[in-house]
Amino acid sequence: MKKLLLLALLASVTALGQQPYKRVILLMGSRFEITVVASDSLQAAAWTDQAIAEITRIEKLISSWDPNSQTSEINRQAGISPVRVNEELFALIQRSLGISRLTDGAFDISYASMDRIWKFDGSMKAMPPADAVAASVARVGYQKIQLDPKTYSVFLQEPGMKIGFGGIGKGYAADRAKALLMAAGAPAGIINASGDLTTWGIPPGGKPWQVAITNPMDKTHAYGVVPVENRAVVTSGDYEKYVTLDGKRYTHIIDPRTGYPSRGILSVTIFAPKAELADALATSVFVMGLEAGLDRIEQLPGIDGIIVDEHGRLYTTRDIQIQRNR
């Protein structure tokens, strides 16, 4: 009995000695915040270094900017020949096409083929011509991406096609870093990849991680907080980049099916088991619109969402409970 009591006391002291350690670093062209709960700074630093190495490895695999990546080779061989890739990249592309089918093309990794005719740096003063918009998406279409599971090869059917992982890559990297840290023994933490956030474990204090839901009408304030335990949270919003033309506001989130900016929604927050899925769905629901997007989320097991429409009205799926700020 005394031995059990001593073990329990030691476990309690260890738990009390744990605290979160955070490091901020630029990875994949974005701000990453890596938080791990550890008993000392040396252990936290070692775990964080492992996470950074894993994220860097993934960036080299999926980057379309690195001429030596397998993704760049797929794009170079568009319309010419299939490219054999490793199993990890093949599986990511396979899952991406599955999300495209799930969202009726609102998510599409071949968006990288689009001509960038919309400018959100203040230089755009008029709507682009309709024929230019149509031409900008002429080579976009996930149906034109051929996969051969026997050889792990990827073929883009048309010359000029490109794939990119801007809508799913950071989420995937966050998931991989989380899995690595959990396997290494980190009891709790958060990987925040510029808003693509995934959590595990319970922080010191015994309560789940708390995630603030930004008010897109005033991003200096939050609607409230939502407790998040072993889940991912991703928000897509139009409050960062947009242009106003003829009195109408157009977001930087472009519908890959039409070439036009999405309208009617200010922000979408998705809660999912994986950051990869939450990342892809957040943008997809934004593109799909309020009714279709909310309906689609409700049909997916394990997925929850919060949508703020263009009038600032907040909609949530059934299982979401926000602790509102007063």
Side-chain angles (χ1 to χ4, degrees):
M1 179 62 71
K2 288 183 179 178
K3 186 175 181 181
L4 289 174
L5 252 140
L6 179 60
L7 288 173
L9 181 60
L10 287 172
S12 176
V13 170
T14 301
L16 288 172
Q18 290 184 335
Q19 61 178 299
Y21 294 85
K22 181 170 76 171
R23 190 187 305 180
V24 179
I25 186 170
L26 186 67
L27 296 165
M28 303 179 76
S30 300
R31 174 190 169 97
F32 273 68
E33 295 179 5
I34 302 171
T35 301
V36 293
V37 172
S39 55
D40 61 71
S41 60
L42 289 177
Q43 181 63 80
W47 280 336
T48 302
D49 287 343
Q50 290 180 53
I52 291 171
E54 177 68 354
I55 294 165
T56 301
R57 181 189 70 80
I58 291 166
E59 180 178 18
K60 291 179 180 178
L61 178 68
I62 69 174
S63 174
S64 57
W65 301 104
D66 181 352
N68 298 314
S69 74
Q70 294 181 11
T71 301
S72 292
E73 183 62 16
I74 291 171
N75 293 340
R76 276 193 296 270
Q77 296 300 321
I80 302 172
S81 66
V83 175
R84 187 165 186 164
V85 300
N86 70 19
E87 187 175 351
E88 182 181 12
L89 181 59
F90 186 88
L92 178 61
I93 295 172
Q94 205 167 37
R95 293 194 302 275
S96 297
L97 298 188
I99 297 171
S100 293
R101 290 188 289 270
L102 180 68
T103 60
D104 302 320
F107 175 82
D108 194 330
I109 58 172
S110 71
Y111 80 93
S113 310
M114 292 174 62
D115 296 327
R116 303 296 189 261
I117 60 173
W118 295 88
K119 308 295 182 185
F120 300 96
D121 56 4
S123 63
M124 194 170 190
K125 304 301 180 185
M127 291 283 289
D131 58 346
V133 174
S136 73
V137 295
R139 291 183 296 275
V140 176
Y142 69 93
Q143 304 93 334
K144 304 172 187 176
I145 302 173
Q146 291 184 347
L147 302 182
D148 185 345
K150 293 181 180 179
T151 60
Y152 293 122
S153 65
V154 183
F155 179 53
L156 308 183
Q157 291 181 344
E158 295 184 8
M161 282 188 71
K162 295 179 182 178
I163 60 171
F165 297 97
I168 198 171
K170 291 198 300 294
Y172 176 62
D175 285 337
R176 291 298 310 146
K178 169 185 170 179
L180 184 148
L181 291 178
M182 290 179 69
I190 299 178
I191 309 294
N192 185 353
S194 288
D196 294 6
L197 185 150
T198 188
T199 73
W200 74 98
I202 301 293
K207 294 183 179 180
W209 299 102
Q210 304 291 312
V211 176
I213 305 302
T214 301
N215 180 350
M217 308 288 282
D218 180 5
K219 62 181 181 178
T220 62
H221 294 83
Y223 275 116
V225 296
V226 176
V228 178
E229 187 174 347
N230 295 317
R231 298 186 85 191
V233 187
V234 174
T235 297
S236 287
D238 80 340
Y239 42 84
E240 296 292 346
K241 294 181 182 179
Y242 60 88
V243 63
T244 302
L245 301 172
D246 300 326
K248 294 181 180 179
R249 179 163 148 161
Y250 295 89
T251 176
H252 71 289
I253 299 175
I254 308 294
D255 187 335
R257 302 165 299 187
T258 66
Y260 284 93
S262 305
R263 301 193 64 206
I265 291 179
L266 295 183
S267 74
V268 175
T269 300
I270 296 293
F271 300 79
K274 299 282 189 181
E276 172 190 311
L277 180 58
D279 193 1
L281 286 179
T283 303
S284 303
V285 170
F286 205 109
V287 169
M288 294 170 75
L290 177 61
E291 292 185 9
L294 202 59
D295 179 67
R296 193 61 51 91
I297 300 169
E298 291 280 17
Q299 295 179 41
L300 300 175
I303 309 297
D304 294 296
I306 299 171
I307 300 176
V308 180
D309 73 8
E310 59 187 342
H311 304 293
R313 293 183 293 241
L314 186 145
Y315 301 80
T316 69
T317 49
R318 288 184 292 269
D319 296 331
I320 287 291
Q321 294 182 346
I322 301 178
Q323 299 171 15
R324 290 181 178 272
N325 291 333
R326 296 181 178 178

